[in-house]
Amino acid sequence: MSEWFVYQGDGRPDPARIDRLPDPPPWRAFDAPVVAYDVPGLDSATHRRLGAVTAPLPIQDPDTLELVNAALYLRRPLLVTGEPGVGKSTLAHSVAHELGLGRVLEWPIVSRSELRDGLYTYDAIGRLQDAQLRRAGEDLTPRVRRRRSAGPESEDIGRYIKLGPLGTALLAAGRPRVLLIDELDKSDIDLPNDLLNVLEEGRFPIPELERIADRTPVVRVLTDDGRKVEVTEGQVRCRAFPFVVMTSNREREFPAPLLRRCIPLDLKAPRDERLAALVQAHFGQDAHEAHHDIVDHFTEAEADGALRPTDQLLNAIFLAQHAARDAARREEIAELLMQPLDRGPR
């Protein structure tokens, strides 16, 4: 294991490792004052993906470790490509788990996704409806009127603004957050270009708050984690640049300016010791040996060059545990579930 690695890819959590990161290069240094807020711990999404690591087997190959750590050191997004099911999105959860960086902020991309969806939302309609209710309350008793109209403008507008996953990741936390921008290749053609400035500058404005900054410079808004946090002068600025994983199934090409700002990683499917670690994490210490027949069937089947994600292997092992009493039945289950995705069922 290289001494400079912060992320070691062995599945063993050690939050102190992130503190070994050197200062960022001058062109990636951000100096916003730290914003104090409670970062939630890992949630069920991470536990579902990672299972429980039970053996010191390598979870990542050396090339992946080199590039992940390069992204951490350089404060650059990691653009992860690979076939479906090789563990692209799981990589973000693995880094958050090992380095103790809290809940992974997830932004799943669809064809209608826009940059603002990831930055923040403003519920203008909800605010208008509440304002109408307050005006209707003018006919109520003075005591009720005071209760409904109480609160400064900042408290009023802050109730209707929520930071998205990208916006939350760019808050000036003392430690980097982990952000997963999943399946970026499904986006509209404009989104990759729209991301450029935000990822380069590590900041973005909230116009609704900038307009009132002279009267209420500090506004408390909601984060993607459900926490309240202060935004000053209508600007969200980062300090510790987040660890950003952008995944792609190679359904489209990305513009050169975006590629220039990313660390590219072509992730290979887990095999050999990495595959054994995956099976043990989900089924226990001796699972790889106990189910070697299904694992062998999976690895031998891919000799035809077809696409078989590791989900098929995990599904076959789980079903075999509950439905297979003899070797012939286990073989039947493996054959049934391990159909190549790119050739259709046989």
Side-chain angles (χ1 to χ4, degrees), residues 216-278:
T216 52
V218 178
V219 178
R220 289 175 60 81
V221 302
L222 197 64
T223 70
D224 187 68
D225 300 310
R227 307 299 202 256
K228 284 283 190 177
V229 67
E230 292 183 348
V231 173
T232 303
E233 303 291 342
Q235 292 271 337
V236 173
R237 301 164 53 202
C238 81
R239 184 176 183 90
F241 190 78
F243 178 69
V244 181
V245 175
M246 299 187 293
T247 73
S248 167
N249 292 322
R250 303 195 190 100
E251 294 183 5
R252 60 176 290 191
E253 297 295 328
F254 294 115
L258 177 68
L259 298 177
R260 181 174 69 83
R261 291 166 170 81
C262 297
I263 303 295
L265 167 61
D266 187 30
L267 193 63
K268 306 301 181 184
R271 294 296 179 262
D272 302 323
E273 285 187 315
R274 293 175 55 224
L275 191 60
L278 177 67

Side-chain angles (χ1 to χ4, degrees), residues 302-317:
E302 64 177 3
D304 61 8
L307 175 60
R308 291 181 175 84
T310 51
D311 307 66
Q312 291 183 339
L313 172 62
L314 300 180
N315 290 339
I317 292 176

Side-chain angles (χ1 to χ4, degrees), residues 21-32:
L21 269 182
D23 291 337
W27 57 90
R28 296 299 294 161
F30 304 95
D31 59 357

Side-chain angles (χ1 to χ4, degrees), residues 123-137 148 156 159-160:
D123 186 6
I125 295 177
R127 191 181 184 200
L128 176 61
Q129 290 173 339
D130 286 350
Q132 291 172 338
L133 289 175
R134 283 197 296 271
R135 285 195 294 270
R148 288 194 175 182
D156 178 47
R159 294 172 53 197
Y160 306 98

Side-chain angles (χ1 to χ4, degrees), residues 87-210:
K88 298 187 295 296
S89 56
T90 299
L91 181 59
H93 291 268
S94 176
V95 172
H97 166 71
E98 286 197 22
L99 300 183
L101 299 180
R103 168 183 171 265
V104 175
L105 297 160
E106 298 190 40
W107 185 15
I109 301 300
V110 297
S111 59
R112 301 178 304 279
S113 296
E114 297 179 352
L115 178 62
R116 178 159 165 170
D117 299 329
L119 295 177
Y120 76 100
T121 57
Y122 171 53
D123 186 6
I125 295 177
R127 191 181 184 200
L128 176 61
Q129 290 173 339
D130 286 350
Q132 291 172 338
L133 289 175
R134 283 197 296 271
R135 285 195 294 270
E138 293 176 359
D139 295 331
L140 302 176
T141 64
R143 181 177 180 182
V144 174
R145 275 204 310 275
R146 285 195 301 271
R147 186 170 66 249
R148 288 194 175 182
S149 62
E153 185 177 13
S154 62
E155 292 182 6
D156 178 47
I157 194 170
R159 294 172 53 197
Y160 306 98
I161 292 177
K162 180 179 180 180
L163 299 180
L166 174 55
T168 301
L170 291 175
L171 286 170
R175 293 159 63 88
R177 296 295 303 271
V178 175
L179 170 66
L180 172 62
I181 304 178
D182 206 15
E183 298 189 331
L184 182 61
D185 51 333
K186 288 185 177 180
S187 72
D188 177 87
I189 192 171
D190 293 326
L191 181 57
N193 282 316
D194 293 342
L195 281 168
L196 292 177
N197 186 65
V198 174
L199 294 178
E200 187 66 19
E201 300 301 328
R203 61 191 297 169
F204 68 94
I206 301 179
E208 293 83 358
L209 300 186
E210 285 186 315

